[in-house]
Amino acid sequence: MKALIVDDSQIMRRIIVSVLKKAGVNDISEVNNGQEALDVLKQDKDIGLVLLDWNMPVMTGIETLKHIRTTNKQLPVVMVTTESEKERVVEAIKAGANDYMLKPFNPDDVLEKLRKYLESGGK
Amino acid sequence: MKTMIKSSLIWTGPTEEMSTSVFERFRDLIYDNSGIVLAENKRPLVKARIQKRMRALRLLEYNEYLTQVMSDRTGGELQHLLDAISTNVTSFYRERHHFDFMGPMLGNWLSQGMSRLRIWSAACSTGEEPYTIAMEVLEALGQRSVDVKILATDLAAKVLRECQEGEYPSARVEPVPSIMRNKYLIRSGDRHHATYTVSKELRRLVFVRQFNLVKFPYAVKGPMDLVFCRNVMIYFDRDTRCEIVKEFRRILRPGGYLFVGHSESLTGLGGGFTVVRPSIYKRV
């Protein structure tokens, strides 16, 4: 299983990497924004899980998600957001997000949440 | 060894004193999971707090409770222990001079065209602090439309439930000026047993999450404009305080403010802040 972390914060990427490693995922790609994520996804067909931040420069998480879904309906995408408003979560789910994580999170809770995607091998 | 007496109606208290080794194991467990430093002179306090939990579980030996905490893989009992140990003293408008400073400062920022405001109440306890902040923010905003979010976090799950509920008996809302009380708190009950509930307007701004301040780095991207972390760092050792301040510096935008408790100071905890007033620091 390979995972892609899309976040403009190096610290946030580091935290998510450590959570994924705890879950046994060692093959991890990291990018800074949505445009870079789309480029990586075009090249690398082994990615089975995407952790996508919401607020990023160049291309936001929700825009990136919509782009991903035009070509790939199956790839599990988990949105990472600080936004608690239901409208945004609903918007993400409508746009095809499989799940969401609210910051700040406890790494162990996130691990629990991600496990189902990791166990299914990203299907 | 028969120590659990679930059927008994009367719990008679622990059968033995807390030994030094058991105290030290509790102390280490609490430090590792919360950063709270408990010196030997806190043993009576630790005992008293743990006994409440032992009573609920009908346990008669400290050692047995320790085993229960350690063996609960869900972490649920550890959370109960941390809830019991952590101190949750708080009140509306606690250290009022912070809010006297914040109001005009927000007014300044808003008049300069600020459209997004992010505030973190890092040890929010039962909610008096974030709701006080929310009232002051709404007062400063007036009719302006600004994207405001107040993140309210605490280690203790129990107090967070109260924070989320936002219901307070009348004695607790006494420090709230009556004009603000009438505007932002909804009164119910009779004259003798009045309860005040925070209004939807306040609730809409406050976003409650459980968070451990001693697990680094923080899963918070920022930038924040204001961080309140008052009367918390006193429980931590110097290294932990340094790490916390470093994280606050990362998360705060330049020009943002950190508010600490009146008996706390950032002296010797790393640079990056200037003192504006005692216990109020500006991120450089």
Side-chain angles (χ1 to χ4, degrees):
Chain A
M1 155 68 92
K2 188 169 184 178
L4 174 65
I5 303 172
V6 191
D7 202 310
D8 60 321
S9 158
Q10 191 245 333
I11 294 270
M12 287 307 303
R13 292 201 305 270
R14 205 168 92 205
I15 293 169
I16 297 169
V17 164
S18 71
V19 172
L20 287 169
K21 286 197 168 164
K22 258 192 185 174
V25 180
N26 292 305
D27 202 352
I28 303 164
S29 292
E30 298 174 44
V31 291
N32 269 307
N33 62 58
Q35 186 55 57
E36 288 178 16
L38 296 179
D39 295 343
V40 168
L41 287 169
K42 245 184 232 164
Q43 307 286 323
D44 191 341
K45 301 295 173 197
D46 291 337
I47 290 169
L49 175 64
V50 178
L51 287 311
L52 187 56
D53 185 34
W54 197 296
N55 297 313
M56 290 180 292
V58 186
M59 187 186 283
T60 66
I62 192 79
E63 287 167 339
T64 311
L65 173 66
K66 286 174 182 167
H67 276 285
I68 292 172
R69 288 295 178 242
T70 59
T71 56
N72 191 335
K73 305 269 186 233
Q74 306 301 321
L75 178 65
V77 177
V78 176
M79 300 297 291
V80 183
T81 177
T82 55
E83 309 298 337
S84 57
E85 293 106 333
K86 284 194 175 128
E87 311 90 75
R88 285 191 87 169
V89 171
V90 170
E91 187 188 352
I93 301 292
K94 272 188 187 162
N98 297 71
D99 218 325
Y100 61 92
M101 290 159 31
L102 292 179
K103 287 184 282 190
F105 49 74
N106 173 347
D108 291 338
D109 296 341
V110 171
L111 188 62
E112 206 50 49
K113 191 163 247 191
L114 294 183
R115 254 196 191 116
K116 62 178 170 185
Y117 302 106
L118 301 173
E119 279 164 6
S120 65
K123 297 286 178 294
Chain B
M1 189 168 65
K2 193 178 175 188
T3 50
M4 193 181 274
I5 46 164
K6 281 187 178 156
S7 58
S8 169
L9 293 173
I10 302 164
W11 184 80
T12 51
T15 51
E16 332 178 311
E17 264 306 296
M18 180 185 273
S19 70
T20 300
S21 73
V22 168
F23 170 69
E24 284 172 354
R25 288 178 69 195
F26 273 118
R27 185 195 63 191
D28 294 349
L29 189 66
I30 290 161
Y31 178 75
D32 291 344
N33 288 283
S34 70
I36 297 169
V37 178
L38 295 163
E40 173 58 38
N41 65 0
K42 298 283 184 201
R43 199 193 296 200
L45 177 130
V46 171
K47 271 172 54 182
R49 302 265 175 103
I50 285 175
Q51 277 180 24
K52 282 190 189 164
R53 196 59 205 146
M54 288 170 68
R55 174 194 291 268
L57 296 169
R58 294 291 201 236
L59 298 179
L60 293 176
E61 288 184 9
Y62 293 107
N63 202 19
E64 194 178 8
Y65 180 59
L66 181 64
T67 307
Q68 186 141 338
V69 174
M70 308 281 275
S71 60
D72 181 356
R73 288 174 152 257
T74 66
E77 196 49 51
L78 175 64
Q79 186 61 56
H80 279 299
L81 172 66
L82 299 179
D83 282 1
I85 294 296
S86 53
T87 300
N88 295 302
V89 177
T90 185
S91 61
F92 282 101
Y93 285 90
R94 188 180 191 194
E95 300 189 34
R96 190 177 288 260
H97 66 104
H98 285 160
F99 303 103
D100 294 342
F101 174 82
M102 188 182 84
M105 189 205 62
L106 286 178
N108 245 343
W109 282 351
L110 293 164
S111 65
Q112 289 163 17
M114 172 181 250
S115 59
R116 174 190 180 278
L117 178 63
R118 293 290 181 270
I119 303 174
W120 185 10
S121 166
C124 68
S125 189
T126 42
E128 286 88 335
E129 178 177 279
Y131 292 126
T132 300
I133 297 168
M135 284 189 275
E136 287 297 313
V137 166
L138 288 175
E139 285 299 294
L141 283 184
Q143 299 301 311
R144 294 184 190 89
S145 169
V146 174
D147 172 18
V148 179
K149 285 201 173 61
I150 301 164
L151 173 64
T153 65
D154 204 283
L155 171 68
K158 195 177 157 204
V159 295
L160 284 177
R161 283 192 290 276
E162 285 184 49
C163 178
Q164 193 96 56
E165 281 163 13
E167 280 182 21
Y168 305 94
S170 53
R172 301 252 294 271
V173 303
E174 261 168 29
V176 182
S178 59
I179 191 164
M180 304 289 263
R181 211 182 303 168
N182 295 337
K183 206 165 168 186
Y184 298 113
L185 303 174
I186 302 152
R187 190 186 150 137
S188 58
D190 60 35
R191 205 149 55 96
H192 304 291
H193 298 97
T195 299
Y196 289 83
T197 309
V198 297
S199 68
K200 275 188 186 163
E201 244 183 319
L202 294 188
R203 210 181 281 275
R204 194 171 48 81
L205 303 183
V206 176
F207 169 26
V208 181
R209 305 282 294 164
Q210 189 174 16
F211 189 76
N212 191 337
L213 284 170
V214 303
K215 299 284 178 204
F216 307 105
Y218 297 164
V220 178
K221 191 158 99 176
M224 293 275 178
D225 301 288
L226 304 174
V227 173
F228 286 76
C229 184
R230 307 187 302 166
N231 306 298
V232 181
M233 286 194 271
I234 38 172
Y235 298 104
F236 302 140
D237 60 25
R238 197 173 164 279
D239 288 350
T240 307
R241 290 203 293 262
C242 280
E243 284 293 314
I244 291 175
V245 170
K246 202 168 118 195
E247 280 296 84
F248 286 157
R249 186 177 189 279
R250 173 179 69 79
I251 288 159
L252 274 166
R253 68 167 170 84
Y257 291 90
L258 170 62
F259 297 82
V260 299
H262 69 281
S263 61
E264 298 168 317
S265 148
L266 300 195
T267 308
L269 300 180
F273 288 93
T274 52
V275 189
V276 183
R277 289 184 189 184
S279 73
I280 304 177
Y281 294 85
K282 189 175 189 174
R283 201 275 205 199
V284 181

